[in-house]
């Protein structure tokens, strides 16, 4: 074999079957081959397992799918290149012209955009209510045959809690599928509820490091199997290297989520006792209007604390600027703390009435609590409140 040939066909290294890597290797390859055409054809006919092309599946992304399905307590999972990719492909795969979607004003901004603007162009209609309006949800489901109900809990940024039992029961009675964006609550929560499809951004708690993007769709195998072909054609699959980074991040998921939630509770208590703060939104606080529901549904209340500055947007902006340990940045669930100032909040697509329903005020600030020492975070929040006052 001449050397230009050799560099394209390097010497194979095969591990003996009883000799395994402790950390699974990254299958950083697009293509897989079988020994013969006959075996390749058997694979195409579904008569044997294997991998062929990474857009369809890859051992590293598959390992992440199997792990996430188990964490969320479902049979199957598909991973995608971002959380929004998981949501957009799920919506496209589950709806057709003439279908109706029930969604909520507290829904993640890009999800609202997808439903209103993108699916709207394809003749999919929607009703948008407040997540607290169960009577309205019942009326909307009675008024329109509905394909799916999509919701979140806790919601972004003011951590309203969806009544999952009530919503899934209403949807099921109306013959609608439920899609729950479970990014805020995480993979270890809400699995016991009768939700058909969970979607997640892996960009947040899964990796924890804030250095990689990904998304996941998790549900019963019959549902996810149907989605797999559409997802392959839409082409937004996760890259194996990103899957490896996310698998690595997941090893510390539970300790991070619990430690960051414990710190979030302390920050929420500090804010609640401060005279510059009108209202704190954290489901773990007994003063949260849905604290009892949150306690019933959740084991950990999460790492997002938002609050309303009494003095409005200027004070909120001053507070955010004065923080030293919190990056003025989007996203959440990473090991470093983050702040979103009122001036950075979305929601410009909402009408005045819808904006009011959303619970976001002029002075709403969102904190994502990281893994820094809690004493340092407390000091930082205290000094920033003094500056803002
Ligand atoms: C961040 C986020 C998404 C989108 O995830 P990306 O990975 O950024 O595309 C979807 N839903 C919620 C609730 C999020 O917080």
């Amino acid at each position: 074999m001449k050397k230009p040939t050799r560099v394209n066909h390097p010497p194979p290294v095969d591990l003996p079957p009883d000799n395994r890597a402790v950390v699974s290797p990254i299958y950083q390859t697009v293509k897989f081959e079988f020994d013969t055409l006959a075996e390749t054809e058997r694979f195409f006919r579904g008569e044997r397992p294997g991998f062929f092309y990474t857009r369809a599946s890859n051992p590293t992304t598959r390992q992440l799918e199997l792990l996430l399905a188990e964490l969320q307590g479902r049979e199957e999972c598909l991973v995608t290149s971002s959380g929004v990719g998981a949501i957009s492909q799920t919506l496209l795969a589950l709806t057709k012209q003439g279908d109706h979607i029930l969604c909520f004003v507290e829904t993640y901004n890009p999800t609202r955009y997808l439903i209103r603007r993108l699916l709207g162009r394809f003749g999919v209609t929607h009703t948008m209510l407040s997540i607290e309006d169960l009577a309205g949800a019942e009326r909307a489901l009675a008024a329109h045959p509905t394909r799916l109900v999509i919701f979140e809990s806790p919601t972004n940024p003011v951590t309203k809690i969806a009544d999952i039992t009530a919503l899934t029961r209403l949807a099921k009675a109306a013959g609608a599928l439920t899609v729950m964006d479970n990014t805020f609550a995480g993979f270890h929560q809400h699995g016991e509820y009768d939700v058909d499809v969970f979607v997640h951004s892996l960009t947040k708690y899964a990796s924890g490091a804030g250095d990689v993007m990904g998304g996941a769709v998790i549900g019963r195998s019959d549902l996810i199997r149907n989605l797999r072909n559409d997802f392959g054609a839409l082409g937004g699959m996760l890259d194996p290297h990103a899957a490896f980074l996310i698998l690595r991040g997941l090893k510390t998921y539970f300790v991070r989520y619990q430690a960051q939630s414990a710190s979030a509770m302390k920050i929420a208590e500090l804010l609640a006792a401060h005279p510059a703060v009108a209202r704190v939104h954290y489901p773990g606080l007994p003063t949260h209007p849905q604290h009892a529901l949150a306690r019933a549904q959740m084991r950990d209340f999460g790492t997002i604390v938002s609050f309303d500055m009494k003095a409005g947007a200027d004070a909120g902006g001053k507070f955010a600027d004065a923080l030293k340990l919190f990056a003025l940045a989007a996203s959440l669930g990473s090991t470093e703390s983050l702040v979103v100032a009122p001036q950075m909040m979305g929601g410009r697509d909402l009408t005045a009435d819808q904006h009011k329903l959303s619970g976001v005020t002029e002075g709403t600030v969102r904190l994502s609590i990281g893994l820094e020492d809690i004493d340092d975070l407390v000091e930082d929040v205290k000094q920033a409140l003094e500056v803002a006052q």
Side-chain angles (χ1 to χ4, degrees):
M1 196 186 287
K2 299 241 167 54
K3 285 178 181 172
T5 306
R6 194 51 166 166
V7 290
N8 283 290
H9 299 270
V13 176
D14 292 320
L15 265 70
D18 66 342
N19 175 210
R20 288 169 295 274
V22 174
V23 173
S24 303
I26 314 172
Y27 285 87
Q28 193 70 52
T29 178
V30 171
K31 295 150 284 174
F32 298 84
E33 66 167 349
F34 298 98
D35 281 342
T36 63
L37 175 59
E39 285 306 305
T40 309
E41 290 182 290
R42 284 187 61 222
F43 171 80
F44 286 155
R45 288 194 298 265
E47 291 165 11
R48 60 156 299 160
F51 295 91
F52 190 70
Y53 196 62
T54 283
R55 176 154 43 71
S57 194
N58 168 289
T60 312
T61 57
R62 187 62 188 146
Q63 182 168 62
L64 178 59
E65 288 174 349
L66 294 173
L67 177 58
L68 291 174
E70 198 172 319
L71 289 181
Q72 188 64 86
R74 291 295 186 274
E75 294 161 343
E76 260 298 346
C77 172
L78 277 169
V79 288
T80 57
S81 56
S82 71
V84 163
I87 297 165
S88 63
Q89 294 182 87
T90 299
L91 289 173
L92 283 167
L94 288 179
T95 59
K96 63 179 188 318
Q97 186 173 35
D99 280 346
H100 175 256
I101 295 178
L102 176 59
C103 60
F104 301 94
V105 293
E106 296 88 349
T107 298
Y108 184 61
N109 226 326
T111 305
R112 294 203 302 264
Y113 176 91
L114 282 165
I115 293 169
R116 297 165 56 135
R117 307 292 295 273
L118 186 102
L119 293 183
R121 289 209 299 270
F122 300 125
V124 175
T125 60
H126 70 277
T127 300
M128 194 157 73
L129 302 171
S130 166
I131 193 68
E132 294 163 293
D133 187 5
L134 286 173
E138 189 166 9
R139 280 196 301 274
L141 290 167
H144 312 272
T146 298
R147 173 60 174 156
L148 57 91
V149 179
I150 182 165
F151 67 98
E152 296 163 28
S153 187
T155 65
N156 180 24
V158 296
T159 69
K160 290 189 195 176
I161 305 298
D163 186 335
I164 308 174
T165 306
L167 272 173
T168 52
R169 200 190 294 134
L170 285 175
K172 185 152 265 185
L177 288 172
T178 42
V179 178
M180 179 175 191
D181 182 338
N182 207 23
T183 299
F184 269 46
F187 314 95
H188 64 304
Q189 308 210 69
H190 298 154
E192 64 276 31
Y193 289 91
D194 192 16
V195 171
D196 293 305
V197 180
F198 286 103
V199 292
H200 283 273
S201 167
L202 305 179
T203 312
K204 317 290 173 53
Y205 296 109
S207 124
D211 56 5
V212 62
M213 301 199 78
V217 184
I218 307 171
R220 291 194 306 275
S221 49
D222 60 319
L223 265 173
I224 302 297
R225 212 178 308 124
N226 286 339
L227 297 185
R228 192 175 282 281
N229 285 337
D230 283 1
F231 276 47
L234 289 163
M237 297 305 285
L238 191 68
D239 178 79
H241 190 257
F244 169 81
L245 290 173
I246 293 164
L247 279 162
R248 184 164 73 166
L250 278 168
K251 294 187 181 199
T252 56
Y253 166 76
F254 284 93
V255 283
R256 279 187 286 109
Y257 199 101
Q258 281 154 13
Q260 291 175 231
S261 291
S263 291
M265 184 70 192
K266 295 210 170 99
I267 297 292
E269 285 167 347
L270 159 74
L271 290 164
H274 200 279
V277 174
R279 187 168 164 203
V280 182
H281 312 278
Y282 187 66
L285 283 181
T287 51
H288 187 289
Q290 294 161 301
H291 178 63
L293 182 59
R295 281 192 83 87
Q297 291 186 172
M298 305 178 79
R299 263 159 286 176
D300 299 297
F301 297 115
T303 70
I304 297 297
V305 182
S306 63
F307 64 99
D308 303 329
M309 288 296 284
K310 269 187 194 152
D314 283 353
K318 247 192 233 166
F319 168 83
D321 255 341
L323 286 169
K324 297 187 173 86
L325 296 175
F326 291 70
L328 261 177
S331 197
L332 59 116
S334 52
T335 59
E336 66 276 345
S337 293
L338 310 169
V339 59
V340 174
Q343 294 81 355
M344 295 157 71
M345 294 276 172
R348 277 172 275 276
D349 60 310
L350 297 177
T351 64
D353 281 348
Q354 288 171 334
H355 205 270
K356 201 151 171 235
L357 282 178
S358 79
V360 179
T361 69
E362 276 228 302
T364 303
V365 176
R366 190 190 81 179
L367 299 175
S368 169
I369 305 302
L371 262 189
E372 299 91 343
D373 190 279
I374 183 62
D375 294 340
D376 288 335
L377 293 179
V378 163
E379 274 320 298
D380 198 26
V381 170
K382 272 189 186 159
Q383 67 79 23
L385 284 169
E386 293 317 308
V387 172
Q389 227 176 353

